[in-house]
Amino acid sequence: MVNTQLFVSPTWVVDHLNDSQIVIVDCRFSLADPQLGQTQYQTSHIPGSYYLDLNQDLSSPVGKHGGRHPLPDTNNLAKKLSAMGVNSQKNLVVAYDDSRLAFASRLWWLLRYLGHEQVVVMDGGYTAWQQAGYPVTDIIPESQTGNFIPQIQPELVVDMEVVKSRKDLPEVALVDSRESDRYRGEREPIDKIAGHIPGAVNYPWQEVTNSSGYLISQLQQRQRWEPIETAKEILVYCGSGVTACVNLLSLELAGIHTGKLYAGSWSDWISYESTVNSQ
């Protein structure tokens, strides 16, 4: 199955519920209540969809460095994807959440990082699905026998040293994806230090969708990035490397393919004394 899209509508998904080439993944999660997403899934989800948890499945344990949501162990994630029936470069994965693509985009980016281009997000999320009156269930689908083989794309991710060495180059743009007041250091509800990486420009991830969780138009996505569209490299970060993926999706929607994820993001940056002292 050749994928030329980045997102699909709930209507498209309901029309493909019985397509054996489609694997649907529920990514609902709440940073404030880490168990909520799993509970919501067990109560009600799109028929046939599997669940991946941000903390347990889409991240690895927190260490001294690497941020609050380090990238997951690739072999562990590959096993979980295989158990969902995902075969590398064959099955189309449809990711959805209920948080304006915050967590669905994390899976979207991770799959591309693992070399699997066959992935889209569901526009509008679970709320749009429910509002359309489409079917839901509490039945957990059985494990499948897929064959997901990671093919890491290292050029899609950067670490602290790379950011530190490249962020001030004229051909490089550094993007902070957090809310503007967090970027300005006026509010910091999660991390120990407020502020932003010197030289970063602010593109809040919530601007990628409207208040109802639907993606803004492709034209609006392009216009959004016009000030930095010519940069040869766009390094994107947020608090922990999760919502930055929404901006990376936006860049792709705008036809800009130079985006890279600073996976550790702000929570990793401030874990190094050298970077903190240079703020």
Side-chain angles (χ1 to χ4, degrees), residues 5-44:
Q5 293 180 267
L6 294 166
F7 67 95
V8 292
S9 68
T11 301
W12 186 94
V13 176
V14 80
D15 289 341
H16 291 80
L17 281 181
N18 297 317
D19 189 334
S20 61
Q21 293 296 303
I22 308 296
V23 177
I24 306 172
V25 183
D26 188 319
C27 300
R28 283 177 289 174
F29 189 81
S30 169
L31 293 172
D33 181 2
Q35 303 302 317
L36 182 61
Q38 178 80 53
T39 300
Q40 290 175 325
Y41 171 75
Q42 292 174 343
T43 302
S44 172

Side-chain angles (χ1 to χ4, degrees), residues 135-195:
V136 298
T137 185
D138 61 357
I139 299 173
I140 310 298
E142 297 180 358
S143 294
Q144 303 295 320
T145 306
N147 185 27
F148 188 90
I149 302 173
Q151 294 180 323
I152 304 295
Q153 308 297 306
E155 71 281 0
L156 297 183
V157 66
V158 294
D159 60 15
M160 185 276 291
E161 290 295 342
V162 171
V163 174
K164 197 172 182 181
S165 64
R166 297 185 193 173
K167 68 183 183 65
D168 297 320
L169 298 176
E171 67 272 20
V172 174
L174 179 61
V175 171
D176 187 314
S177 305
R178 297 170 301 164
E179 299 94 323
S180 295
D181 56 351
R182 289 184 70 192
Y183 165 78
R184 294 190 297 266
E186 299 167 356
R187 178 181 69 94
E188 184 45 65
I190 304 174
D191 293 307
K192 295 180 180 179
I193 300 175

Side-chain angles (χ1 to χ4, degrees), residues 12 55 64-65 91 147 149 230 248 260 267:
W12 186 94
N55 286 347
K64 180 179 180 181
H65 302 297
N91 298 90
N147 185 27
I149 302 173
T230 58
L248 289 166
K260 298 182 179 183
S267 53

Side-chain angles (χ1 to χ4, degrees), residues 47-196:
S49 63
Y50 294 87
Y51 183 74
L52 286 176
D53 181 270
L54 174 65
N55 286 347
Q56 304 301 319
D57 305 313
L58 304 182
S59 307
S60 58
V62 178
K64 180 179 180 181
H65 302 297
R68 286 181 280 106
H69 292 103
L71 296 184
D73 179 272
T74 54
N75 290 326
N76 287 343
L77 182 54
K79 290 177 183 177
K80 293 168 183 174
L81 291 167
S82 294
M84 296 176 179
V86 183
N87 295 283
S88 298
Q89 298 304 337
K90 292 183 179 179
N91 298 90
L92 177 66
V93 176
V94 178
Y96 74 90
D97 61 25
D98 209 13
S99 302
R100 298 176 69 169
L101 304 179
F103 309 110
S105 293
R106 169 78 165 199
L107 177 59
W108 168 84
W109 183 88
L110 280 170
L111 283 169
R112 289 164 65 94
Y113 172 65
L114 297 181
H116 189 82
E117 295 283 339
Q118 310 307 105
V119 56
V120 294
V121 297
M122 187 179 79
D123 198 16
Y126 195 63
T127 294
W129 181 271
Q130 289 179 304
Q131 290 176 342
Y134 293 148
V136 298
T137 185
D138 61 357
I139 299 173
I140 310 298
E142 297 180 358
S143 294
Q144 303 295 320
T145 306
N147 185 27
F148 188 90
I149 302 173
Q151 294 180 323
I152 304 295
Q153 308 297 306
E155 71 281 0
L156 297 183
V157 66
V158 294
D159 60 15
M160 185 276 291
E161 290 295 342
V162 171
V163 174
K164 197 172 182 181
S165 64
R166 297 185 193 173
K167 68 183 183 65
D168 297 320
L169 298 176
E171 67 272 20
V172 174
L174 179 61
V175 171
D176 187 314
S177 305
R178 297 170 301 164
E179 299 94 323
S180 295
D181 56 351
R182 289 184 70 192
Y183 165 78
R184 294 190 297 266
E186 299 167 356
R187 178 181 69 94
E188 184 45 65
I190 304 174
D191 293 307
K192 295 180 180 179
I193 300 175
H196 62 265

Side-chain angles (χ1 to χ4, degrees), residues 182-260:
R182 289 184 70 192
Y183 165 78
R184 294 190 297 266
E186 299 167 356
R187 178 181 69 94
E188 184 45 65
I190 304 174
D191 293 307
K192 295 180 180 179
I193 300 175
H196 62 265
I197 300 175
V201 291
N202 189 212
Y203 282 76
W205 67 273
Q206 294 95 335
E207 295 176 353
V208 178
T209 55
N210 62 27
S211 60
S212 298
Y214 287 94
L215 289 159
I216 60 175
S217 71
Q218 186 176 25
L219 175 60
Q220 290 172 306
Q221 304 283 2
R222 286 200 299 267
Q223 291 173 335
R224 184 170 178 257
W225 295 107
E226 279 181 355
I228 60 172
E229 66 179 348
T230 58
K232 292 183 179 179
E233 196 173 45
I234 301 177
L235 311 180
V236 186
Y237 76 93
C238 55
S240 65
V242 177
T243 54
C245 296
V246 184
N247 264 337
L248 289 166
L249 173 66
S250 175
L251 284 165
E252 290 293 326
L253 287 166
I256 300 170
H257 310 298
T258 52
K260 298 182 179 183

